[in-house]
Amino acid sequence: MTAYSLDHVALAVRRWAQAGPVLAERFGGRWTGGHSQPTFKPAQLRYADGMGVELLEPGSEPGAFVQRFLDGAQAPARPHHLTFKVRDIRAVLAAARSLGFEPILVNLGNPIWQEAFLHPKATGLGFLVQVAQSDGLPAELPANMPGAQPAPGRSPRPRPPRCRWSSDGSRTRTRRAWCSATC
């Protein structure tokens, strides 16, 4: 089984607002959106290197999986899954089976996002491992998507661009670049 990217870490939270402001404003995440389903409400933050954090809030449906997951540990938040991107999900699923892991919640019906999970009891990790093959997701979820919701809080102010180096090797300040003694 070979992944080419650790795409995101998913955290189960009681409310997006519980972790979102810290992850966005203090750690520089950019909200890419969220939406509501009866079973859960996922929201995504992305960071400069492309790494993501997904927040999973319980949905309105009684006994929804995120609610059960949080109640089981009586925790306000806890790690839910890691998502690894793969180039050929069918080959990865076959490799997982050959190693004794039976994938669960396999969903190969959507060409944009195909996924499967490995159960925590099978891996011994204490959280789910998700493998996903994606032909690309939009950078932002469409506002007219069913159940779309604005992301909580506000995105942080953009950081200044990195220093620009001139041909003689010195740092320069321009209207578009800011330099400090540490760059």
Side-chain angles (χ1 to χ4, degrees):
M1 294 190 306
T2 302
Y4 70 86
S5 168
L6 174 60
D7 184 67
H8 68 268
V9 174
L11 305 173
V13 296
R14 301 224 181 251
R15 298 277 172 255
W16 288 346
Q18 171 187 343
V22 172
L23 294 170
E25 294 175 18
R26 293 191 187 162
F27 293 109
R30 184 179 62 79
W31 288 104
T32 61
H35 65 280
S36 179
Q37 298 178 22
T39 54
F40 75 116
K41 298 177 183 179
Q44 292 272 343
L45 293 104
R46 286 283 166 191
Y47 292 84
D49 66 354
M51 179 62 184
V53 173
E54 181 176 35
L55 300 178
L56 303 175
E57 180 179 313
S60 59
E61 190 174 277
F65 76 91
V66 176
Q67 188 68 54
R68 289 191 322 268
F69 183 73
L70 290 170
D71 289 348
Q74 297 191 2
R78 62 190 279 219
H80 186 266
H81 67 265
L82 296 178
T83 298
F84 292 97
K85 290 273 193 84
V86 298
R87 297 195 195 288
D88 183 348
I89 195 164
R90 285 174 174 77
V92 167
L93 295 177
R97 287 182 181 105
S98 75
L99 294 169
F101 298 110
E102 186 56 41
I104 62 171
L105 304 170
V106 177
N107 181 355
L108 304 179
N110 183 342
I112 294 175
W113 184 265
Q114 298 176 337
E115 65 184 2
F117 293 85
L118 300 177
H119 197 279
K121 289 180 182 173
T123 64
L125 293 173
F127 50 82
L128 289 165
V129 173
Q130 180 183 40
V131 291
Q133 179 179 325
S134 174
D135 289 334
L137 292 174
E140 306 253 348
L141 293 173
N144 64 351
M145 177 179 159
Q149 296 182 340
R154 57 186 173 82
S155 291
R157 279 177 258 139
R159 293 186 180 161
R162 295 179 187 244
C163 293
R164 214 185 275 190
W165 296 87
S166 62
S167 59
D168 68 359
S170 64
R171 288 187 302 245
T172 61
R173 275 188 198 197
T174 68
R175 199 166 54 90
R176 303 181 89 192
W178 176 83
C179 294
S180 71
T182 61
C183 66

